[in-house]
Amino acid sequence: MPIEMPEHDSRFERGSRALAEIDGEAGERVVSALADIAPDFARYLVEFPFGDIYSRPGLDLRAREIATIAALTAMGNATPQLKVHIEGGLNVGLSRDEIVEIMMQMAVYAGFPAALNGLFAAKEVFDRRRV
Amino acid sequence: MPIEMPEHDSRFERGSRALAEIDGEAGERVVSALADIAPDFARYLVEFPFGDIYSRPGLDLRAREIATIAALTAMGNATPQLKVHIEGGLNVGLSRDEIVEIMMQMAVYAGFPAALNGLFAAKEVFDRRRV
Amino acid sequence: MPIEMPEHDSRFERGSRALAEIDGEAGERVVSALADIAPDFARYLVEFPFGDIYSRPGLDLRAREIATIAALTAMGNATPQLKVHIEGGLNVGLSRDEIVEIMMQMAVYAGFPAALNGLFAAKEVFDRRRV
Amino acid sequence: MPIEMPEHDSRFERGSRALAEIDGEAGERVVSALADIAPDFARYLVEFPFGDIYSRPGLDLRAREIATIAALTAMGNATPQLKVHIEGGLNVGLSRDEIVEIMMQMAVYAGFPAALNGLFAAKEVFDRRRV
Amino acid sequence: MPIEMPEHDSRFERGSRALAEIDGEAGERVVSALADIAPDFARYLVEFPFGDIYSRPGLDLRAREIATIAALTAMGNATPQLKVHIEGGLNVGLSRDEIVEIMMQMAVYAGFPAALNGLFAAKEVFDRRRV
Amino acid sequence: MPIEMPEHDSRFERGSRALAEIDGEAGERVVSALADIAPDFARYLVEFPFGDIYSRPGLDLRAREIATIAALTAMGNATPQLKVHIEGGLNVGLSRDEIVEIMMQMAVYAGFPAALNGLFAAKEVFDRRRV
């Protein structure tokens, strides 16, 4: 991973650990894909969302993934990131059924198409992970 | 509440209980405000979101409110409903600090303006409820 | 109305007639409000949407207002324009009840908050127009 | 179609008829695709949008499809559902040219990219249906 | 290009020149793709965005492409048009690095997924153009 | 400003200088308003958008404000932040007329309502600043 990593950068180290715990290989693939187009953005992605936000103690990772899956399903314009976080949700302890419940609920707030597209994204991830 | 209530309508009854538990008086105010413009929609609002979705056993109300607060903050175009669900979140056991965490996290997925406007909506609700 | 009007500009003339028929005084107020900030934009607004699009024969004004009211309710971030077109819908023959039906239907495609905010905008217009 | 169908459920029956009339086989395919990921959501989809909303007498199906096509084109993040409703519009009597008019009009409210993407989705459906 | 071109239509001529300068072949492909589905819309696309707006003297093309790339990245639901304007930006003098900066900045206003999807669209265009 | 400021935090210091240069008093007001609801978020707001992004050398502040004004106008759901950045644009050298051009151009990408609401926000800021 050819990202410049400043020495003693606790935000980057903390973020790398959080990213690995939540998104696993999928997170690593995103960071790698940025390497030749915007390596600084790969660093920011590790530092701010994961080093600053997901590492805060006030909300556990399970609750954080519920929030992210709900938001990305409702927004409906970020399918690749939604799939990464469906995997993330499974990684931090959400069940397949709980993820389905979140998406069904989004029909209320963002309409049936948003919920349907979320469910079909989930189906793809569940099939690949065989959960 | 001058809404026609079909006899033996368990979806409506179940929805009314869920709406009262989650949104309290704020939910009732929405239903009443619909009475003279779209009374059937008041009934649908009780029946589908609350009677069908929020009453499902697969996800507890705390998790459901995390999802709703996240989605409405990220979408950024439904401030009145966001405020109702900030109250709803407090009613079903989310702390002031947890709601703030959800909104801060939305900066990652929907940008800083969405997070800021969510935080200012929360401030208004917290001040009124003195939490 | 201090907007520069090119001589023999049939798009502008055609658009002015369509704007007057559809939006009445509300349309005029928008055009006037632009006079000192962006007079050219007032001209474009008359020419493209009203002179080009609404003046086309392929769809009647009733159908066009159904489309516009639906879209603005679903998008949820253009309340002033939605109110102008609720008035426009009434002006070209939609009934109060038909406008309410359109908004209720938007709950399916854009969620209940979008439908609710559309209904409350309609209520305001209906009360002012006493329909 | 392994969806549980409650006995005497008039909403489900009414919704199934409306779904068949409007969306034909495309609607059935959506319902089937949900069968193994979220069968309850397939039931809600039949019951609320089609059994409750599309079955209401206050607006004919032609007007309802104008509203839906407009909204989905403007939102721009639900292409699969837009295509289903372009088919639906043709099924309930909209002409190819009327659908094109709706999409061109959306340039005014949601911008040229939304209109272009709607037109290209329509082209695909028209080509497949040879209309 | 089988688009009807009115004689002496200076908006169309001016628009065609602007479209060619900014979007080059990519713009022509969009216009051609519209020829059999909505030829009038191809004309409007040349006339209003390019003949009216991009031809105005108050802002240079470099600044205009910064605005368009930023907006389309933030909206996140118009990837084909974003790619056309990434090419457009390169055509009017933006560097690869400046386009990357714009997209990174959009993380602040529309979230990290919008920025990531913009960066991956840019990567595709840069690879094809070998810049 | 009762925000905790870590010693030797060059991101925070750099961000504070950028925020002061771009947004002036309006930026300070946002930071202060966060003090009692989410002081950590005030720090993140200074550090990531202003310390990391706006402080990067690859794009000058004039170009950055063009991008931000365009994006917030197009998104249409963040009026308070749009007004702050209309001020920011004036502060870093954009003219009143250039800001109006950006907003007019957004009619092409996000529709006329988005452009109109942007223009009316600009009018308010221009009147207050007497530019």
Side-chain angles (χ1 to χ4, degrees), chain D residues 103-131:
Chain D
M103 274 151 185
M104 288 169 51
Q105 186 172 324
M106 288 306 106
V108 175
Y109 298 102
F112 278 73
L116 284 168
N117 293 328
L119 287 166
F120 293 136
K123 192 178 180 172
E124 229 184 284
V125 174
F126 297 161
D127 286 354
R128 202 172 52 228
R129 300 249 307 210
R130 297 164 192 263
V131 290

Side-chain angles (χ1 to χ4, degrees), chain D:
Chain D
M1 195 178 64
I3 308 295
E4 279 178 62
M5 183 175 138
E7 283 184 76
H8 310 303
D9 183 359
S10 63
R11 292 173 71 234
F12 188 85
E13 284 165 8
R14 201 167 56 218
S16 296
R17 280 194 306 275
L19 181 64
E21 183 180 352
I22 299 166
D23 289 340
E25 282 180 32
E28 235 171 78
R29 272 196 302 275
V30 172
V31 167
S32 295
L34 287 167
D36 66 329
I37 175 105
D40 289 352
F41 198 69
R43 184 161 55 79
Y44 295 148
L45 179 65
V46 172
E47 288 177 342
F48 175 60
F50 293 95
D52 284 346
I53 299 292
Y54 279 91
S55 298
R56 292 175 62 82
L59 201 65
D60 62 35
L61 287 181
R62 201 185 114 88
R64 290 195 183 277
E65 285 302 315
I66 292 171
T68 298
I69 291 169
L72 293 177
T73 303
M75 295 172 77
N77 59 2
T79 308
Q81 290 76 29
L82 176 57
K83 285 182 194 164
V84 168
H85 281 280
I86 292 168
E87 293 227 54
L90 294 169
N91 291 341
V92 301
L94 288 171
S95 71
R96 178 190 152 120
D97 285 355
E98 286 172 321
I99 291 169
V100 166
E101 288 294 328
I102 297 166
M103 274 151 185
M104 288 169 51
Q105 186 172 324
M106 288 306 106
V108 175
Y109 298 102
F112 278 73
L116 284 168
N117 293 328
L119 287 166
F120 293 136
K123 192 178 180 172
E124 229 184 284
V125 174
F126 297 161
D127 286 354
R128 202 172 52 228
R129 300 249 307 210
R130 297 164 192 263
V131 290

Side-chain angles (χ1 to χ4, degrees), chain B residues 7-28:
Chain B
E7 282 185 79
H8 311 301
D9 183 358
S10 64
R11 292 173 71 236
F12 189 85
E13 284 165 9
R14 200 168 56 219
S16 295
R17 281 193 306 274
L19 181 63
E21 182 179 353
I22 298 165
D23 289 340
E25 283 180 31
E28 235 172 77

Side-chain angles (χ1 to χ4, degrees), chain A residues 43-100:
Chain A
R43 184 161 53 80
Y44 295 147
L45 178 67
V46 172
E47 288 177 344
F48 175 61
F50 294 95
D52 284 345
I53 298 292
Y54 280 91
S55 299
R56 293 174 61 83
L59 201 64
D60 62 35
L61 288 180
R62 201 185 114 89
R64 290 196 182 278
E65 286 302 315
I66 292 171
T68 298
I69 290 169
L72 293 177
T73 302
M75 296 173 77
N77 59 2
T79 309
Q81 290 76 27
L82 176 58
K83 285 181 194 163
V84 169
H85 281 280
I86 292 167
E87 293 225 56
L90 295 169
N91 291 341
V92 301
L94 288 171
S95 71
R96 175 191 154 119
D97 285 356
E98 286 172 322
I99 291 170
V100 166

